[in-house]
Amino acid sequence: MERKVSRICLASEPDIIHFLQVAWEKTLGSGFVITLTDGQSAWTGTVSESEISQEADDMALEKEKYVDELRKALISGGGPADAYKFDFSRESCNFSFEKNLKDVSFRLGSFSLEKVASPALVIRKLICDCLDTITENQAKNEHLQKENERLLRDWNDVQGRFEKCVSAKEAVETDLYKRFILVLNEKKAKIRSLHKLLNEVQEPEKNIEHERETTTCSEMTADRDAIYDESTDEESENLPDPSVLAPATLRGDDSIISSPDVMDIAPSRKRRQRMQKNLGTEPKVASQVHGPQEKEKSCAA
């Protein structure tokens, strides 16, 4: 059977301290035994499960909620000191308690008690129960203290292992970083050597290509000069001879003087032929001159 002893003050006798003991078998809702004493007199009573259900119905509360309110008022002592108000009538031996809510209060329960003929036995038993409770609490405290010490040792052990793991992790990271730096430097050296070999291979190819370009440009320049010389030779061959033109001019003048009425058209025809021939050779020379200049520009580019 579980027991709970608490100290209360009654509204009818606020200067006298009373002790209230509540004992129950299984749960508080299945019924309990209540004992009240002021150190000289004692009163006791049994509250059945049916009475608890009746009180819950009178308050229009569910039984579970009502039992919870009983636990807070009689056992837990939760809330402020003035959250609950207790009262007892010595004449009617009626014990009641209320719950205060700001400006209002409502009754939680009222039980009838009986005066004990030999209160000393009840008080002695109450004191023994309190001592047993103290002993049990001390045993629990010792057990909890040992458990706390064990947990503290385990925690220190885990902390030491954790620090060792951290140190090992840092050592492994440092070693890995050193190895990584070595591998990185080797890779850099290898890349530099490959770049050097690549440059050595590419340099002769560039020189050969440059020589090819130079040879091509020189050949194009030589072809251009040859074409230009041929064009100038053709121009010199196509020019008319002044010794041939002079007698023809003189003959035209003599014919015009000897026959003023009939004009000789031969000299005019010859002049037109010579002009057309000259006109036909000049564009050819010009085109031949422009061709080598374009080849020279493309070679220079």
Side-chain angles (χ1 to χ4, degrees):
M1 180 177 285
E2 297 184 18
R3 296 177 177 87
K4 176 67 177 179
V5 179
S6 58
R7 184 172 54 185
I8 63 173
C9 293
L10 301 177
S12 58
E13 299 176 356
D15 297 334
I16 300 175
I17 297 175
H18 290 73
F19 297 95
L20 179 67
Q21 183 188 55
V22 179
W24 65 95
E25 285 289 344
K26 297 179 181 179
T27 60
L28 193 64
S30 61
F32 55 90
V33 178
I34 185 170
T35 301
L36 180 67
T37 180
D38 59 354
Q40 296 178 357
S41 301
W43 298 266
T44 184
T46 302
V47 181
S48 63
E49 185 176 359
S50 60
E51 291 178 350
I52 294 174
S53 299
Q54 185 63 39
E55 290 288 343
D57 292 339
D58 294 341
M59 296 185 62
L61 289 176
E62 295 180 359
K63 184 179 179 180
E64 291 77 7
K65 292 184 178 180
Y66 180 71
V67 172
D68 186 59
E69 290 293 338
L70 287 178
R71 184 179 293 105
K72 291 179 181 179
L74 302 178
I75 299 175
S76 301
D82 57 349
Y84 298 96
K85 179 181 178 182
F86 301 94
D87 199 3
F88 178 71
S89 175
R90 292 178 181 268
E91 291 78 11
S92 62
C93 294
N94 185 31
F95 178 76
S96 62
F97 53 97
E98 300 176 351
K99 183 176 182 179
N100 297 324
L101 293 174
K102 293 184 178 180
D103 298 334
V104 298
S105 62
F106 60 93
R107 186 179 64 86
L108 282 177
S110 178
F111 309 115
S112 296
L113 305 180
E114 293 179 0
K115 190 173 182 180
V116 179
S118 56
L121 297 177
V122 176
I123 294 172
R124 187 181 297 111
K125 188 175 184 302
L126 182 63
I127 294 174
C128 290
D129 291 340
C130 290
L131 292 176
D132 292 340
T133 302
I134 292 172
T135 303
E136 291 177 0
N137 291 334
Q138 287 179 349
K140 290 181 180 179
N141 289 336
E142 290 178 358
H143 175 71
L144 293 175
Q145 185 68 26
K146 292 180 180 179
E147 189 68 17
N148 289 336
E149 291 177 357
R150 184 184 66 80
L151 293 174
L152 183 60
R153 288 194 300 270
D154 293 343
W155 184 81
N156 291 331
D157 185 35
V158 171
Q159 187 179 11
R161 293 181 180 179
F162 180 74
E163 291 177 355
K164 290 180 180 179
C165 291
V166 171
S167 301
K169 173 180 171 293
E170 291 177 352
V172 170
E173 288 180 352
T174 304
D175 184 59
L176 289 176
Y177 287 151
K178 290 180 180 179
R179 294 184 181 181
F180 175 74
I181 291 171
L182 292 176
V183 173
L184 183 62
N185 292 334
E186 290 178 357
K187 295 295 182 181
K188 287 182 178 180
K190 188 174 182 180
I191 291 171
R192 284 194 294 268
S193 63
L194 291 175
H195 275 294
K196 185 177 180 180
L197 292 174
L198 182 62
N199 293 330
E200 291 177 356
V201 172
Q202 289 179 349
E203 188 66 25
E205 294 181 355
K206 291 181 179 179
N207 294 332
I208 293 170
E209 186 177 357
H210 181 68
E211 291 177 357
R212 290 177 181 176
E213 292 178 355
T214 305
T215 305
T216 304
C217 291
S218 61
E219 291 177 355
M220 292 179 65
T221 304
D223 294 340
R224 180 195 59 194
D225 294 338
I227 293 169
Y228 182 77
D229 293 338
E230 291 177 359
S231 62
T232 53
D233 293 339
E234 290 179 356
E235 288 180 0
S236 61
E237 291 176 357
N238 293 328
L239 289 176
D241 191 359
S243 61
V244 177
L245 290 175
T249 306
L250 293 173
R251 286 195 302 268
D253 294 339
D254 295 338
S255 60
I256 292 171
I257 295 171
S258 61
S259 179
D261 295 335
V262 181
M263 296 181 62
D264 189 3
I265 61 174
S268 300
R269 189 181 297 116
K270 291 181 180 180
R271 282 196 301 271
R272 285 196 301 268
Q273 290 178 357
R274 285 197 298 269
M275 292 175 65
Q276 290 177 359
K277 187 176 182 180
N278 292 332
L279 290 175
T281 56
E282 288 177 358
K284 183 177 180 180
V285 174
S287 61
Q288 292 176 353
V289 172
H290 286 296
Q293 292 179 354
E294 294 177 355
K295 290 184 179 180
E296 184 179 1
K297 290 180 179 180
S298 62
C299 182

